[in-house]
Amino acid sequence: VSAPEVVAIAPQPAADLVAALAAAARDLDTDARWLRRLLLEVERPTAAPALVEDVAGWAQRLAVDLDERIDRVVRLDAGVLADAAPGAARFLDLRGLDDLDELLVALTALGVLPSCPRLGDVGARRMALASLPPELLARLAEQAPEALGPGDGVPFAARDRANRILLRRHVARLEARADRLSVADRRLLIDLRSWRDDPDLQVVKLDAARGRVVLARGDLDTASHVAAIVPGAGLTIHGISRRHEAWMHHLHDEMSTRLTATGEQGDPATVLWLDYDSPQRLVPAAVRRDAASDAARRLPAFLEGVALARPQMVTVLGHSYGSVVIGRSLADHPGRLAADQLVALGSPGLGVQLSRELSLRDDQRLLAATFEQDPITHVGQWSPLTGDVGRAIHGPDPRRLRAVEPIELSTHDLVDAGPLERHLQYLDEGSSALRLLADLAAGAGRPSSGG
Amino acid sequence: MQGRIMRSIGEAGGPARSRALQRDADRSLEVAAELERLADEVAERLRPVLARMGTDVWAGGAADRATDAAHAARDDLTVATTALRDVAQDLRVRAATLAWRGERLAVEPEPALTAGHP
């Protein structure tokens, strides 16, 4: 039997166990030899001595392996947790641990946390991890970046630290085979280096293998006003468009200007949330709701993590298929979307047919804005005479739902460079639409018109 | 030592055979008791150690793996101790049989074994 991988070690109990294992191994070995003699004497050979010898060997190997691990851990991590848990000198070896709940169990087993938070509970995680000394949390992020990086409820500074480790590793892997990278990977390498070198970014999640990334401009731990953009179809980590990333920056800058102008205390943070498998083709992927329903399982937990940092206002802007994600989040997880304002931009529909499916909280606003020239208006077909929504792929145009406040956008500065372009100018730099949406996200109240 | 008890049966004759049978019966009982004692000890050797596996040393998934390995070891020991107790039981039956035969020979010597004596 091979010894299990040790992820967490408390030295004294472990040393005691090593001694007990070694003693048991010696005794079992002696027992086995004596048994073999006795059984031969009475001419009753059985497999018993061999089995006992096997167990003795297992115990001996386990003792040696455990002893080596303790030695390694103590040499590497001496002092780190002793500072965090005075009176109980304990040490951690968390390398290779990639699950946040396992990490919390390990911390509890070692006495670093007084009790194990309810597993999967974002709020309980936040409370537990926020109670740790910052330097310990930073050390944990370095030791177990796979566990802390994607963990909703983990303070965002720690997530950023962990994800930047993952980011640098991925950059190194790509650079190691730089001469034979695909076009997509070359593009990804450029983006990763850009994010790595940008100190104003928080890398909130990075899962290159699954094509997912969440970036923030500003500090989500301290921001007073947060705006998260859920982009639509056609994006992956290999194809984050410069435009979508720029939206995050433009929105941040506009919100900052607005907050300064109104004399509000606080700073904005903006997010590009691509933690889902954005449909890569319009047909058939983008006409289905699968990706949105899948995304709806993660968006509420992310926003819960944001809300735990207690910003004054959280706004989620779903662009195009991203608005279907918002709709399905509201419909599938009633009351769990921790946002004050939800805005559907250029929406093909919210993935629902009726307002009552959306389960909005009383204090929650759902708004929708679409340029009349945006070809997406043809997707959410709706007949005012018959009420027929049968042809609408993702439900009716959200502006026609009772629960939705429509926003009128000025189109005087819209650049008409083709149908797709008319679908992509909602948050472009300098546009009146961007200013209006930034005002909204900065808490300027209900907008009545753009321009 | 090997096979001493089995070979002794039938080799001696008369009172000598009776004593041999009794000695073998006694030795069988001793070995049976020793096997039972060892079975108990073997089963107990790791019990307090196994009880700690996965609690104060390992955590999370590693604890599960450690516990699985400990269960496998415990299963091996259970098979071994069961086999030892079976042998011990067999030896006790044998000891009773040998003792009974020894007693019978002591009071009713077999004719063939006493022929030629005055």
Side-chain angles (χ1 to χ4, degrees):
Chain A
V1 183
S2 62
E5 179 187 0
V6 176
V7 294
I9 289 176
Q12 192 52 53
D16 293 346
L17 182 56
V18 166
L21 276 169
R26 281 193 303 273
D27 291 343
L28 283 170
D29 210 43
T30 305
D31 292 343
R33 280 201 298 274
W34 182 231
L35 279 170
R36 201 180 294 281
R37 281 183 62 188
L38 285 174
L39 290 168
L40 284 174
E41 181 186 338
V42 296
E43 296 187 338
R44 289 291 190 278
T46 73
L51 286 172
V52 173
E53 281 171 352
D54 284 348
V55 177
W58 169 77
Q60 181 56 37
R61 288 193 300 276
L62 195 58
V64 170
D65 180 80
L66 189 52
D67 199 35
E68 288 172 358
R69 286 165 188 267
I70 293 169
D71 186 55
R72 178 164 57 90
V73 170
V74 170
R75 272 189 285 110
L76 286 174
D77 299 326
V80 174
L81 284 175
D83 294 341
R90 297 183 185 264
F91 305 90
L92 280 184
D93 177 10
L94 298 167
R95 282 157 294 170
L97 193 62
D98 60 2
D99 182 275
L100 181 57
D101 285 334
E102 260 192 42
L103 172 69
L104 294 170
V105 169
L107 291 174
T108 309
L110 295 173
V112 176
L113 292 175
S115 61
C116 191
R118 197 156 64 90
L119 301 185
D121 185 322
V122 175
R125 284 175 178 173
R126 172 88 186 188
M127 191 176 294
L129 291 170
S131 72
L132 298 178
E135 61 274 16
L136 172 60
L137 197 53
R139 183 62 182 267
L140 293 176
E142 287 169 8
Q143 281 205 342
E146 291 92 348
L148 283 175
D152 291 315
V154 176
F156 289 100
R159 289 183 71 167
D160 178 56
R161 183 183 286 261
N163 287 319
R164 283 179 181 276
I165 291 168
L166 300 178
L167 189 155
R168 285 194 292 273
R169 282 184 196 165
H170 204 73
V171 167
R173 277 196 293 272
L174 291 173
E175 287 176 340
R177 52 186 180 89
D179 55 338
R180 50 188 191 282
L181 289 179
S182 66
V183 172
D185 277 342
R186 279 203 296 274
R187 187 172 172 181
L188 174 61
L189 181 56
I190 292 169
D191 282 345
L192 291 175
R193 285 170 170 162
S194 158
W195 301 336
R196 178 193 64 191
D197 299 335
D198 187 343
D200 294 328
L201 277 186
Q202 277 183 334
V203 185
V204 180
K205 179 166 183 175
L206 183 78
D207 185 349
R210 303 179 77 169
R212 294 175 183 172
V213 64
V214 180
L215 300 171
R217 166 81 184 277
D219 185 349
L220 285 169
D221 284 321
T222 60
S224 60
H225 294 74
V226 175
I229 301 165
V230 181
L235 299 185
T236 72
I237 195 172
H238 288 88
I240 289 265
S241 78
R242 291 273 172 233
R243 189 171 207 153
H244 284 82
E245 196 178 335
W247 283 359
M248 175 178 67
H249 294 294
H250 300 328
L251 186 59
H252 178 275
D253 294 345
E254 284 294 336
M255 286 171 68
S256 184
T257 301
R258 171 72 191 188
L259 288 172
T260 303
T262 56
E264 288 235 25
Q265 297 290 315
D267 296 306
T270 50
V271 177
L272 184 63
W273 190 87
L274 185 60
D275 192 11
Y276 80 109
D277 297 330
S278 158
Q280 294 303 295
R281 292 177 184 277
L282 293 180
V283 179
V287 301
R288 298 171 58 166
R289 289 180 191 167
D290 310 18
S293 295
D294 179 57
R297 284 194 279 272
R298 281 182 296 284
L299 183 59
F302 166 71
L303 291 173
E304 196 180 342
V306 170
L308 287 167
R310 301 192 179 284
Q312 290 175 37
M313 176 169 281
V314 176
T315 304
V316 181
L317 304 111
H319 174 248
S320 192
Y321 191 85
S323 65
V324 186
V325 173
I326 289 178
R328 290 318 307 172
S329 297
L330 288 168
D332 295 343
H333 307 280
R336 279 207 56 209
L337 212 53
D340 305 289
Q341 305 180 116
L342 303 151
V343 187
L345 298 173
S347 173
L350 297 175
V352 299
Q353 297 295 332
L354 302 165
S355 280
R356 67 167 179 264
E357 296 176 58
L358 292 169
S359 302
L360 284 168
R361 296 197 314 252
D362 289 344
D363 59 347
Q364 221 166 19
R365 300 175 70 191
L366 176 57
L367 307 102
T370 304
F371 293 128
E372 288 307 327
Q373 299 90 333
D374 183 342
I376 201 75
T377 52
H378 300 298
V379 177
Q381 292 283 356
W382 181 79
S383 166
L385 292 178
T386 64
D388 175 18
V389 293
R391 285 185 296 153
I393 296 168
H394 292 300
D397 183 331
R399 294 174 298 172
R400 304 194 186 285
L401 289 171
R402 188 166 37 82
V404 176
E405 301 172 44
I407 308 173
E408 291 178 26
L409 295 177
S410 168
T411 58
H412 76 273
D413 50 5
L414 200 60
V415 179
D416 194 0
L420 180 62
E421 189 60 25
R422 293 197 295 271
H423 184 53
L424 290 172
Q425 295 183 44
Y426 289 91
L427 293 163
D428 278 0
E429 186 174 20
S431 72
S432 54
L434 171 67
R435 284 195 297 277
L436 184 145
L437 293 166
D439 282 356
L440 183 72
R446 177 177 179 158
S448 55
S449 64
Chain B
M1 182 67 77
Q2 181 175 352
R4 185 176 60 80
I5 294 173
M6 297 303 290
R7 279 197 302 275
S8 72
I9 299 171
E11 286 176 355
R17 188 180 182 203
S18 172
R19 286 192 296 275
L21 287 172
Q22 193 58 54
R23 279 197 305 274
D24 287 349
D26 292 345
R27 179 60 185 158
S28 291
L29 282 176
E30 287 172 14
V31 173
E34 184 70 359
L35 288 175
E36 285 164 347
R37 185 185 65 77
L38 277 171
D40 289 342
E41 282 190 10
V42 161
E44 280 297 299
R45 292 273 187 235
L46 280 174
R47 190 187 57 76
V49 184
L50 298 183
R52 289 159 53 183
M53 304 285 282
T55 54
D56 52 357
V57 174
W58 287 278
D64 295 338
R65 292 191 289 275
T67 305
D68 289 346
H71 285 167
R74 192 167 54 198
D75 289 347
D76 276 355
L77 286 183
T78 301
V79 171
T81 53
T82 302
L84 294 175
R85 290 200 172 94
D86 286 347
V87 173
Q89 180 64 18
D90 185 38
L91 286 176
R92 286 186 184 284
V93 172
R94 170 176 299 280
T97 305
L98 292 173
W100 179 76
R101 284 184 185 165
E103 286 172 12
R104 275 194 59 192
L105 282 176
V107 295
E108 296 177 24
E110 290 177 68
L113 292 175
T114 57
H117 283 255

